[in-house]
Amino acid sequence: MAQSHGNFSAKTVTETMLDIPSTTWTALPTTAQTGRQVIEVYNKGTNKLYFSFDSSATYKQRAAIGRGEFRIFPIQDNVTLYGRPQGGGTRVVVTEYR
């Protein structure tokens, strides 16, 4: 069973840098770390990065972060988080904690 990220202490950390195109939803990261408990996404690019758990979603009513911002998701490896920038591509750093 997953730990609440407030009570979680990582034993393994994996960082992945991704260039995300604006043309499609991209899994963050493309392959999940087995046994992860928490994921952090940092937007290094200049365009807003939108999030969804549905790869067929539209931008409307999706959460987003701007340049230099990050967001934490307490999700396990069986949940896929997708990212898609609007107005051009962006670069992100995805950190997974296990």
Side-chain angles (χ1 to χ4, degrees):
M1 182 170 172
Q3 300 271 344
S4 164
H5 74 278
N7 298 323
F8 174 71
S9 179
K11 294 180 179 122
T12 303
V13 177
T14 303
E15 290 183 317
T16 307
M17 178 141 348
L18 298 167
D19 289 315
I20 309 295
S22 63
T23 55
T24 186
W25 289 101
T26 301
L28 303 173
T30 50
T31 303
Q33 178 187 33
T34 302
R36 77 160 180 228
Q37 299 292 314
V38 177
I39 184 172
E40 176 185 285
V41 181
Y42 174 74
N43 186 359
K44 289 185 64 101
T46 57
N47 296 307
K48 267 188 183 177
L49 178 66
Y50 288 81
F51 298 105
S52 180
F53 294 102
D54 177 2
S55 63
S56 64
T58 62
Y59 288 117
K60 187 177 180 181
Q61 299 178 346
R62 298 291 166 207
I65 58 174
R67 178 184 186 159
E69 295 179 336
F70 70 95
R71 182 144 180 209
I72 297 172
F73 298 88
I75 57 175
Q76 294 182 338
D77 58 2
N78 62 332
V79 178
T80 303
L81 174 66
Y82 296 95
R84 185 175 181 178
Q86 189 172 31
T90 197
R91 177 171 277 191
V92 299
V93 177
V94 179
T95 306
E96 296 174 280
Y97 300 91
R98 182 179 78 140

